């Protein structure tokens, strides 16, 4: 038991540069407190002392702000940073070396019995506020960006961002991830440049539309200054000489 606790404390030092001493981690990190309480409540759950397990889990939620169902399976060196608002469902499975930040939900999408919560494979990082929903699998070493909503499997080593989450697969994004790892741990699993690719495309289309409108307005102003009635131009648009504007400017 004490060996496992020592391991849990060490993993905090590896992933949180704010940690200064083992005593500070042991007394001031709610993620560590929630994990230790879960280990006990999970043992009680396995012994079929279900009410006692749920009661202990409830006490842990009240003390730490982190809700972990005693039926959830959690591996070694699991780290919850900050922790407030984290919810982990009954059938969730978390493998070794995973990291969760505040506001993360590992939830279900069905009221039916059986497997209904996510599986996080080794080394997964879930950014603040992300929602991972349903009996899906987040592959080994994958990252889920802050506030993303994941409803499909995430391949190993991939990065998922957006609502609903989409996988970033371009070479540029992969290079950025590798560079970030060399420079240091990305605390929230995203960098400033990792926006939702669909949102970026929409923004690009909007920018293009605004620029097109601006050019059309400028063209109409030139025609007006040249004394060409706009009504006539609309009526004879099919006969308009494309070189006419150049002649006006000259």
């Amino acid at each position: 038991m004490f060996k496992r606790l020592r391991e849990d404390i060490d993993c905090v030092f590896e992933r949180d540069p704010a940690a200064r001493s083992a005593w500070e981690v042991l007394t001031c990190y709610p993620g560590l407190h929630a994990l230790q309480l879960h280990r006990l409540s999970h043992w009680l759950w396995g012994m079929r002392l279900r009410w006692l397990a749920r009661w202990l889990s409830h006490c842990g939620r009240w003390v730490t702000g982190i809700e972990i169902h005693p039926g959830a399976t959690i591996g070694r060196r699991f780290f919850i940073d900050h922790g407030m608002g984290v919810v982990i469902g009954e059938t969730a499975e978390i493998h070794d070396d995973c990291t969760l930040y505040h506001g993360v939900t590992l939830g279900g999408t069905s009221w039916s019995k059986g497997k209904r919560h996510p599986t996080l494979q080794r080394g997964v990082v879930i950014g603040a506020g992300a929602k991972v929903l349903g009996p899906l699998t987040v592959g080994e070493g994958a990252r889920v960006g802050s506030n993303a909503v994941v409803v499909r499997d995430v391949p190993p080593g991939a990065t998922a961002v957006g609502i609903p989450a989409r996988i970033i697969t371009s070479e540029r994004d992969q290079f950025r991830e590798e560079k970030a790892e060399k420079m240091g741990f990305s605390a929230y699993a995203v960098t400033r440049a990792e926006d939702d690719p669909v949102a970026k495309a929409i923004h690009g289309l909007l920018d293009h539309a605004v620029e097109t409108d601006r050019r059309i307005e400028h063209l109409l102003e030139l025609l007006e200054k040249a004394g060409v009635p706009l009504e006539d131009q609309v009526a004879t648009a099919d006969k308009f000489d494309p070189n006419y504007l150049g002649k006006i400017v000259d």
Side-chain angles (χ1 to χ4, degrees):
M1 182 180 72
F2 290 105
K3 181 180 179 182
R4 182 68 65 88
L5 178 60
R6 179 75 253 181
E7 196 174 58
D8 292 333
I9 293 174
D10 289 342
C11 85
V12 174
F13 284 104
E14 292 173 5
R15 303 177 213 175
D16 185 5
R20 289 186 292 269
S21 68
W23 177 248
E24 180 186 44
V25 172
L26 188 62
T27 56
C28 301
Y29 274 67
L32 181 67
H33 303 157
L35 180 59
Q36 303 313 312
L37 288 171
H38 170 73
R39 296 205 192 284
L40 178 55
S41 66
H42 183 68
W43 179 81
L44 293 171
W45 188 265
M47 297 297 291
R48 305 194 68 80
L49 299 172
R50 300 296 170 85
W51 179 87
L52 186 57
R54 287 301 302 269
W55 180 81
L56 184 60
S57 173
H58 179 71
C59 290
R61 176 180 180 271
W62 182 70
V63 171
T64 66
I66 299 169
E67 180 176 340
I68 308 176
H69 193 285
T73 303
I74 297 178
R76 301 171 66 176
R77 297 176 297 278
F78 176 54
F79 178 44
I80 304 176
D81 199 7
H82 305 297
M84 181 62 69
V86 168
V87 177
I88 300 175
E90 177 187 5
T91 62
E93 298 176 40
I94 301 174
H95 293 199
D96 297 344
D97 302 305
C98 291
T99 303
L100 269 59
Y101 287 84
H102 52 281
V104 169
T105 298
L106 303 183
T109 56
S110 170
W111 290 347
S112 61
K113 299 287 186 180
K115 176 67 173 171
R116 59 189 185 279
H117 297 96
T119 296
L120 310 185
Q121 294 185 341
R122 187 186 183 97
V124 168
V125 179
I126 310 292
K131 309 293 183 285
V132 185
L133 307 175
L136 55 86
T137 299
V138 181
E140 183 173 344
R143 307 292 175 96
V144 175
S146 300
N147 297 316
V149 178
V150 180
V151 293
R152 297 180 181 176
D153 290 351
V154 178
T159 297
V161 298
I163 304 173
R166 292 167 177 81
I167 307 303
I168 294 177
T169 57
S170 70
E171 291 183 5
R172 179 181 178 185
D173 293 316
Q174 294 297 334
F175 175 77
R176 186 186 301 128
E177 283 294 314
E178 292 173 5
K179 192 71 173 177
E181 288 182 4
K182 289 179 181 178
M183 294 176 65
F185 180 66
S186 178
Y188 291 93
V190 293
T191 65
R192 290 193 303 176
E194 282 177 345
D195 297 325
D196 180 1
V198 173
K200 289 173 69 176
I202 292 173
H203 291 164
L205 290 172
L206 289 172
D207 292 341
H208 179 72
V210 169
E211 178 63 17
T212 301
D213 288 344
R214 187 192 66 79
R215 291 185 178 186
I216 290 174
E217 288 175 3
H218 182 61
L219 174 62
L220 293 176
E221 287 176 5
L222 289 175
L223 290 173
E224 236 179 335
K225 288 179 181 179
V228 180
L230 296 183
E231 293 80 4
D232 293 346
Q233 288 302 318
V234 173
T236 60
D238 56 331
K239 300 178 182 178
F240 184 73
D241 180 3
N243 297 319
Y244 183 67
L245 180 59
K247 295 175 184 176
I248 294 173
V249 175
D250 292 340

